[in-house]
Amino acid sequence: MFQLQSKHPASCSELVGKVDRFGGVTVRDFPPDISEDSFNIVLKASLASWRREGKIAVWLHIPISLSRLAAVAATLGFTFHHARQDQAVLCLWMGEGESRLPGFATHQVGVAGAVVDESSGKVLVVQDKNKTKNAWKFPGGLSEPGENIGATAVREVFEETGVRTEFRSLLSIRQQHNHPGAFGMSDMYLICRLSPLTYDIDFCTQECLRCEWLELTELARTGDTTPITSRLAKLLLHGLRHGFHHIDLAMEELPAVYSGLFYQLYHRRLPA
């Protein structure tokens, strides 16, 4: 919030922000008609006050409609931290020594669902459209913010194939750096085991070239697939023959140290 002094329009009060538990200040509210000169005066005064109070960092959440203010902040030492949709976040370290501010997210999370029909020994696979190689793979896509990986797998499988499923376990995690599809960042690719609730295929023709229930034995030996899909097909065959408890990383929801929050823990089940 700003409060402009009526007698001296060029003289503004200081920025009002929310102090976090680390001693930083976050500012989210800016008058839509403030000029760059007025903002420069306000920001300088605010920084002086926050330094006197011992604050160690400042975060400015600037809407895209006021992007001109970012240039003003840059002259006072602010740098871009990240941007999301209609907002850019700038930061300034004011503590001692080098900045200890955390970086923004360095990974994207992709999730695929291996839908296994235990009665037939078949698994649901797709071939992506517009790929250089039409390889069989498990349907999947990127996890959305705040979405559990099991929910991502179920959602993506339904969107791509029309088959409804139920989450069973986590099977594998692949980490890859400098991923071309992640703007040069790192990529985490997780494959979940799902059970089918429906079986009729109605695949998305915009994303998929083909979609089939394929024998796991065929998927494990065919050359028309990716290395990770082939490896997971062998793993699923082992689970089908000897029990999925040998390969599953089951999910358990536990309370977090932050009051009212929970997290999901994936691990092999302990013996009874």
Side-chain angles (χ1 to χ4, degrees), residues 15 25 39 43 47 50-51 57-60 62 69-81 89-94:
L15 289 165
V25 181
F39 182 65
L43 187 54
L47 291 175
W50 290 328
R51 285 191 171 98
V58 180
W59 303 86
L60 301 179
I62 298 178
L69 302 185
V72 176
T75 64
L76 299 178
F78 282 82
T79 58
F80 282 114
H81 186 263
V89 178
L90 282 69
C91 62
L92 176 67
W93 172 255
M94 299 193 300

Side-chain angles (χ1 to χ4, degrees), residues 17-20 22-26 46-58 92-96:
K18 184 177 180 180
V19 179
D20 60 41
F22 301 106
V25 181
T26 298
S46 302
L47 291 175
S49 292
W50 290 328
R51 285 191 171 98
R52 287 194 300 269
E53 295 168 2
K55 300 298 185 290
I56 64 170
V58 180
L92 176 67
W93 172 255
M94 299 193 300
E96 295 181 358

Side-chain angles (χ1 to χ4, degrees), residues 2-269:
F2 282 88
Q3 292 177 345
L4 302 181
Q5 297 180 6
S6 58
K7 292 184 180 179
H8 304 284
S11 177
C12 308
S13 69
E14 297 169 6
L15 289 165
V16 175
K18 184 177 180 180
V19 179
D20 60 41
R21 64 191 180 98
F22 301 106
V25 181
T26 298
V27 181
R28 297 178 181 273
D29 298 318
F30 306 90
D33 57 349
I34 189 170
S35 68
E36 289 94 328
D37 290 340
S38 295
F39 182 65
N40 185 58
I41 294 170
V42 174
L43 187 54
K44 282 182 178 178
S46 302
L47 291 175
S49 292
W50 290 328
R51 285 191 171 98
R52 287 194 300 269
E53 295 168 2
K55 300 298 185 290
I56 64 170
V58 180
W59 303 86
L60 301 179
H61 290 246
I62 298 178
I64 194 171
S65 59
L66 293 176
S67 57
R68 63 182 185 278
L69 302 185
V72 176
T75 64
L76 299 178
F78 282 82
T79 58
F80 282 114
H81 186 263
H82 67 275
R84 297 178 66 178
Q85 297 179 329
D86 61 349
Q87 188 177 92
V89 178
L90 282 69
C91 62
L92 176 67
W93 172 255
M94 299 193 300
E96 295 181 358
E98 294 185 1
S99 173
R100 298 196 301 274
L101 295 177
F104 193 53
T106 58
H107 291 65
Q108 71 175 13
V109 179
V111 185
V115 186
V116 181
D117 179 3
E118 298 180 44
S119 63
S120 67
K122 293 184 177 182
V123 64
L124 187 65
V125 287
V126 297
Q127 288 185 359
D128 283 344
K129 208 169 187 179
N130 303 321
K131 294 287 184 179
T132 55
K133 180 182 178 181
N134 294 325
W136 289 117
K137 60 183 283 291
F138 302 123
L142 293 179
S143 190
E144 297 178 351
E147 185 178 45
N148 291 338
I149 59 175
T152 301
V154 169
R155 174 180 57 79
E156 285 288 343
V157 166
F158 177 70
E159 289 176 357
E160 289 192 11
T161 71
V163 174
R164 296 190 181 276
T165 60
E166 184 176 31
F167 173 79
R168 290 299 185 188
S169 72
L170 174 64
L171 293 172
S172 68
I173 302 174
R174 182 213 66 192
Q175 183 178 35
Q176 183 176 347
H177 302 296
N178 298 314
H179 193 276
F183 303 98
M185 305 301 280
S186 299
D187 176 79
M188 301 290 287
Y189 178 60
L190 296 82
I191 298 180
C192 300
R193 183 173 73 87
L194 309 179
S195 292
L197 299 177
T198 63
Y199 297 86
D200 292 338
I201 292 173
D202 181 19
F203 70 90
C204 175
T205 56
Q206 292 181 327
E207 294 187 34
C208 305
L209 184 67
R210 297 173 65 188
C211 178
E212 293 182 14
W213 288 100
L214 196 65
E215 294 279 354
L216 263 174
T217 52
E218 172 64 19
L219 185 62
R221 66 170 178 256
T222 181
D224 295 328
T225 187
T226 64
I228 190 170
T229 306
S230 178
R231 180 64 59 89
L232 264 293
K234 295 180 176 69
L235 185 69
L236 288 167
L237 270 176
H238 181 80
L240 194 62
R241 292 166 177 168
H242 304 286
F244 286 112
H245 63 281
H246 290 291
I247 67 171
D248 282 345
L249 295 176
M251 186 273 284
E252 184 178 3
E253 190 166 74
L254 300 173
V257 294
Y258 303 104
S259 178
L261 299 179
F262 294 84
Y263 62 82
Q264 293 74 43
L265 181 67
Y266 299 85
H267 61 88
R268 289 284 293 275
R269 290 198 181 278

